[in-house]
Amino acid sequence: MDDLIKYAPDLLAGFLKNVQLSAVCAVLSLILGTVLVSMRVSPTPVLRAAGTAYVNIVRNTPLTLVLAFSALGLSDTLDVTFSDDPGSNSFWLVVLGLSLYTATFVCEALRSGINTVPMGQAEAARAIGLTFLQSLTMIILPQAFRAVIAPLGSVIIAMIKNTTVAIAAGYLAESAFVMKDTFDDTGVSIPIFLGIVVAFMIITLPIGFLTGWLANRLAVAR
Amino acid sequence: MSSQANVLFDTPGPRARLRNNILTLLATVAILYALYAVYAKFDARGQWEGRIWQPFLEPYTWTGYIIPGLLGTLKAAGLGAVFALIFGAVFGIARLSDHRWIRLPAGMIVETFRAIPLLLLIFFLFYLAPSVLGGGDYTLIALVTGLALYNGSVLAEVVRAGIRAVPRGQAEAAYAIGLRKGGVMRLVLLPQAVTAMMPAIVSQLVVLLKDTALGYIIAYVDLLNYGFKIIPAVHFGSLIPAAIVIGVIYVGLNMALSALATWLEKRSRRSRKTSAKPVVPPGAAVAPGVGSSTKAIVD
């Protein structure tokens, strides 16, 4: 317990980095996931194929590989960098890798949401002369989003937990690294581990409850 | 995809066809440009040099590095899967127990392990093992235990959902013919539940297989470790070719497993061995509402 109190400032600073990563990645992956799902249901075969290929490849790649590649491959070998400061460079590399990875799961969730929209809705949209993009953005996607709030919540929770893998991209500031660093100092400490776990639960459990509640409240009455 | 059964857009008329063709052209150009940009970047950094791709034509790269790495990954995945399935079955059934003193602790354990970020759990076990068990190499033990506890908790939920998906009449009928609790579970509920939850179990095994790559971070010698650390160290500069090769192996393995899950799901949908509906993999799809005809817009 003394260890937990002694290292609390470091641990908290590390955890706040996880929160930052989560917030940025959540926004980016939701946007990119929506774009991907629009591609996958579009009338243009090339876009459909590109979307499907992207989702199938990235979804089946381990996140550790994606993040390690973004650091060792993209940044170190191909010289794609975001910033001259190594800390902020690796932060954005994690954001890039984690968002690209999570977007595929957002896309899959939304796709199953589109499946729940009754055919009549799309037919009616077409009948009043809406184009594909209009019926998608005004009729289909709003209902699809409301149908998959709970699964999207699970995707976001999984993403928040995945921010700990940032260490694979050489980002040495968030909880997993701070915990490892502290263990190197003091040896294994159960209170420190539990403290970090509880911190994650304080974020993830309310998101689970909130999305569950929203899913009921915003469910499309049919 | 057939042109007639589409919901989101009509069979195109002349104007829409023109628009589609223009869009196709633009999309093709954009994708080709993106591919070219990658090619040019590789070229500028000398990633197409034969020297760094050469190692993958040598048999030893495969027999000495990639295959041992793959075996390391498969060993962790196999052990993790076995223990996760045992954990999942035990705790899934325990959560359905009639006794509160079994049900509540089982529920708490499952919910806790599901909420812990897997990497933190693996790190913790990795540092805990030497102080409890003495010195030694605990990478495999930490990785497998972490994978088994986390995926086992997810599987426990799958098992619980699978048993609950068997219609209530089945258990009632089983009790009516004089079976006891154990018999009802073993002879009636579980066999039907297993068929229903097979697809969800296999999808979770894909997650487990992908998560074995976390072993890389604690220096477990798996495919990722050979690809990102050992091969580039032996053949200087071969990092990107190695990453591409092992990426293809991972994607191939996982796609094969996913295909198995899809096939199992189709089979169990028309199976008459069970009266339960297939269990949806956790965190994945919600039940499809429109069914067959919207299939066309998403496939």
Side-chain angles (χ1 to χ4, degrees), chain B residues 79-99:
Chain B
L79 287 171
V82 169
F83 290 119
L85 284 170
I86 296 172
F87 185 96
V90 170
F91 280 83
I93 293 171
R95 283 200 83 173
L96 291 168
S97 162
D98 291 335
H99 307 290

Tab-separated table of all heavy atoms in Angstrom, chain B residues 79-99:
chain	number	residue	atom	x	y	z
B	79	LEU	N	-2.010	-23.631	-25.795
B	79	LEU	CA	-2.119	-23.766	-24.341
B	79	LEU	C	-3.148	-22.782	-23.798
B	79	LEU	O	-4.006	-23.136	-22.981
B	79	LEU	CB	-0.762	-23.514	-23.681
B	79	LEU	CG	0.285	-24.616	-23.843
B	79	LEU	CD1	1.628	-24.137	-23.324
B	79	LEU	CD2	-0.161	-25.856	-23.080
B	80	GLY	N	-3.064	-21.530	-24.280
B	80	GLY	CA	-4.010	-20.513	-23.826
B	80	GLY	C	-5.438	-20.930	-24.120
B	80	GLY	O	-6.322	-20.798	-23.273
B	81	ALA	N	-5.663	-21.488	-25.320
B	81	ALA	CA	-7.022	-21.875	-25.712
B	81	ALA	C	-7.546	-22.986	-24.808
B	81	ALA	O	-8.686	-22.925	-24.327
B	81	ALA	CB	-7.034	-22.317	-27.172
B	82	VAL	N	-6.697	-23.996	-24.543
B	82	VAL	CA	-7.152	-25.118	-23.706
B	82	VAL	C	-7.559	-24.612	-22.315
B	82	VAL	O	-8.662	-24.890	-21.832
B	82	VAL	CB	-6.040	-26.178	-23.589
B	82	VAL	CG1	-6.395	-27.205	-22.520
B	82	VAL	CG2	-5.836	-26.865	-24.924
B	83	PHE	N	-6.653	-23.828	-21.697
B	83	PHE	CA	-6.964	-23.357	-20.340
B	83	PHE	C	-8.133	-22.372	-20.341
B	83	PHE	O	-8.949	-22.370	-19.420
B	83	PHE	CB	-5.722	-22.731	-19.695
B	83	PHE	CG	-4.682	-23.748	-19.362
B	83	PHE	CD1	-3.423	-23.689	-19.923
B	83	PHE	CD2	-4.969	-24.787	-18.494
B	83	PHE	CE1	-2.458	-24.646	-19.625
B	83	PHE	CE2	-4.019	-25.753	-18.186
B	83	PHE	CZ	-2.762	-25.678	-18.759
B	84	ALA	N	-8.228	-21.550	-21.395
B	84	ALA	CA	-9.339	-20.595	-21.461
B	84	ALA	C	-10.665	-21.341	-21.583
B	84	ALA	O	-11.655	-20.968	-20.959
B	84	ALA	CB	-9.153	-19.647	-22.642
B	85	LEU	N	-10.663	-22.423	-22.370
B	85	LEU	CA	-11.908	-23.183	-22.534
B	85	LEU	C	-12.312	-23.829	-21.212
B	85	LEU	O	-13.493	-23.824	-20.848
B	85	LEU	CB	-11.738	-24.248	-23.616
B	85	LEU	CG	-11.764	-23.701	-25.050
B	85	LEU	CD1	-11.336	-24.770	-26.047
B	85	LEU	CD2	-13.154	-23.191	-25.391
B	86	ILE	N	-11.309	-24.388	-20.488
B	86	ILE	CA	-11.625	-25.002	-19.189
B	86	ILE	C	-12.172	-23.934	-18.238
B	86	ILE	O	-13.238	-24.105	-17.633
B	86	ILE	CB	-10.364	-25.674	-18.592
B	86	ILE	CG1	-9.921	-26.819	-19.506
B	86	ILE	CG2	-10.634	-26.162	-17.175
B	86	ILE	CD1	-8.588	-27.423	-19.118
B	87	PHE	N	-11.439	-22.813	-18.157
B	87	PHE	CA	-11.860	-21.713	-17.277
B	87	PHE	C	-13.266	-21.248	-17.653
B	87	PHE	O	-14.135	-21.071	-16.799
B	87	PHE	CB	-10.856	-20.558	-17.416
B	87	PHE	CG	-11.097	-19.407	-16.487
B	87	PHE	CD1	-10.412	-19.311	-15.290
B	87	PHE	CD2	-11.984	-18.400	-16.831
B	87	PHE	CE1	-10.621	-18.245	-14.437
B	87	PHE	CE2	-12.197	-17.325	-15.979
B	87	PHE	CZ	-11.513	-17.251	-14.776
B	88	GLY	N	-13.478	-21.069	-18.959
B	88	GLY	CA	-14.774	-20.578	-19.430
B	88	GLY	C	-15.903	-21.529	-19.088
B	88	GLY	O	-16.957	-21.111	-18.616
B	89	ALA	N	-15.666	-22.831	-19.295
B	89	ALA	CA	-16.716	-23.804	-19.018
B	89	ALA	C	-17.043	-23.817	-17.530
B	89	ALA	O	-18.214	-23.749	-17.129
B	89	ALA	CB	-16.271	-25.189	-19.482
B	90	VAL	N	-15.999	-23.873	-16.679
B	90	VAL	CA	-16.222	-23.954	-15.236
B	90	VAL	C	-16.966	-22.709	-14.743
B	90	VAL	O	-17.996	-22.806	-14.071
B	90	VAL	CB	-14.873	-24.114	-14.493
B	90	VAL	CG1	-15.069	-23.950	-12.996
B	90	VAL	CG2	-14.274	-25.468	-14.811
B	91	PHE	N	-16.446	-21.526	-15.114
B	91	PHE	CA	-17.057	-20.309	-14.577
B	91	PHE	C	-18.389	-19.981	-15.244
B	91	PHE	O	-19.268	-19.402	-14.614
B	91	PHE	CB	-16.076	-19.146	-14.663
B	91	PHE	CG	-15.069	-19.167	-13.555
B	91	PHE	CD1	-13.936	-19.945	-13.651
B	91	PHE	CD2	-15.291	-18.457	-12.392
B	91	PHE	CE1	-13.026	-19.997	-12.617
B	91	PHE	CE2	-14.382	-18.505	-11.355
B	91	PHE	CZ	-13.238	-19.277	-11.475
B	92	GLY	N	-18.537	-20.356	-16.513
B	92	GLY	CA	-19.825	-20.142	-17.177
B	92	GLY	C	-20.920	-20.919	-16.483
B	92	GLY	O	-22.011	-20.402	-16.217
B	93	ILE	N	-20.629	-22.178	-16.161
B	93	ILE	CA	-21.630	-23.011	-15.478
B	93	ILE	C	-21.807	-22.536	-14.036
B	93	ILE	O	-22.927	-22.479	-13.526
B	93	ILE	CB	-21.220	-24.497	-15.551
B	93	ILE	CG1	-21.292	-24.954	-17.009
B	93	ILE	CG2	-22.118	-25.357	-14.685
B	93	ILE	CD1	-20.727	-26.324	-17.262
B	94	ALA	N	-20.673	-22.139	-13.393
B	94	ALA	CA	-20.772	-21.684	-12.002
B	94	ALA	C	-21.669	-20.456	-11.892
B	94	ALA	O	-22.386	-20.275	-10.912
B	94	ALA	CB	-19.377	-21.368	-11.458
B	95	ARG	N	-21.640	-19.598	-12.945
B	95	ARG	CA	-22.475	-18.393	-12.881
B	95	ARG	C	-23.959	-18.715	-12.992
B	95	ARG	O	-24.796	-17.875	-12.703
B	95	ARG	CB	-22.088	-17.431	-14.017
B	95	ARG	CG	-20.834	-16.685	-13.752
B	95	ARG	CD	-20.753	-15.469	-14.612
B	95	ARG	NE	-21.501	-14.368	-14.043
B	95	ARG	CZ	-21.478	-13.145	-14.533
B	95	ARG	NH1	-20.778	-12.872	-15.599
B	95	ARG	NH2	-22.164	-12.182	-13.963
B	96	LEU	N	-24.257	-19.933	-13.463
B	96	LEU	CA	-25.665	-20.305	-13.572
B	96	LEU	C	-26.104	-21.156	-12.387
B	96	LEU	O	-27.224	-21.665	-12.365
B	96	LEU	CB	-25.889	-21.086	-14.868
B	96	LEU	CG	-25.756	-20.260	-16.149
B	96	LEU	CD1	-25.707	-21.173	-17.355
B	96	LEU	CD2	-26.904	-19.285	-16.277
B	97	SER	N	-25.198	-21.310	-11.413
B	97	SER	CA	-25.504	-22.190	-10.285
B	97	SER	C	-26.722	-21.696	-9.503
B	97	SER	O	-27.024	-20.507	-9.474
B	97	SER	CB	-24.279	-22.256	-9.371
B	97	SER	OG	-24.661	-22.745	-8.110
B	98	ASP	N	-27.389	-22.659	-8.839
B	98	ASP	CA	-28.533	-22.300	-8.004
B	98	ASP	C	-28.091	-21.723	-6.670
B	98	ASP	O	-28.883	-21.111	-5.966
B	98	ASP	CB	-29.400	-23.539	-7.725
B	98	ASP	CG	-30.099	-23.986	-8.984
B	98	ASP	OD1	-30.297	-23.136	-9.873
B	98	ASP	OD2	-30.439	-25.175	-9.091
B	99	HIS	N	-26.812	-21.988	-6.317
B	99	HIS	CA	-26.330	-21.520	-5.019
B	99	HIS	C	-25.722	-20.154	-5.164
B	99	HIS	O	-24.805	-19.965	-5.954
B	99	HIS	CB	-25.271	-22.488	-4.464
B	99	HIS	CG	-25.757	-23.893	-4.435
B	99	HIS	ND1	-26.725	-24.321	-3.563
B	99	HIS	CD2	-25.448	-24.951	-5.192
B	99	HIS	CE1	-26.965	-25.596	-3.777
B	99	HIS	NE2	-26.207	-25.995	-4.776
